Amino acid sequence: MNDAQKWLDQIIADIPFIEKEMYDDTKTLGKYGKAKKYARSYKHDFGGDYSATPEEIMQAAFNTMIEKVVSKLNEDSDNAEIK
């Protein structure tokens, strides 16, 4: 159990770095719309059959990370200068 707790603690500690990598990856597309669409293309669709298994909870956490990246892209685009 101790090893499992250490593994989980490491994943939690890595989340900000993973989100930054995801964000940096989306920014390579050059346009906010494309970046948001790209990020959302990785979301898992539970299709109404969500039973909260450990696997589904991890997929839901990944979906939440994607939405945080999209929110950051929205903030960036809201602050962008109109050309």
Side-chain angles (χ1 to χ4, degrees), residues 18-58:
I18 295 167
E19 286 176 348
K20 178 160 181 2
E21 286 182 20
M22 292 167 65
Y23 173 77
D24 291 344
D25 184 35
T26 62
K27 294 286 283 199
T28 64
L29 294 166
K31 298 208 180 262
Y32 289 104
K34 285 182 180 181
K36 290 185 271 188
K37 184 176 181 180
Y38 172 72
R40 287 187 175 131
S41 74
Y42 284 91
K43 285 186 76 174
H44 180 77
D45 180 12
F46 294 102
D49 189 28
Y50 183 77
S51 56
T53 64
E55 294 84 1
E56 288 174 332
I57 291 169
M58 292 302 289

Side-chain angles (χ1 to χ4, degrees), residues 7 9 17 35 42 61-62 65-67 75 80:
W7 173 78
D9 290 344
F17 303 105
Y42 284 91
F62 186 71
M65 290 168 54
I66 290 170
E67 283 307 315
E75 288 175 21

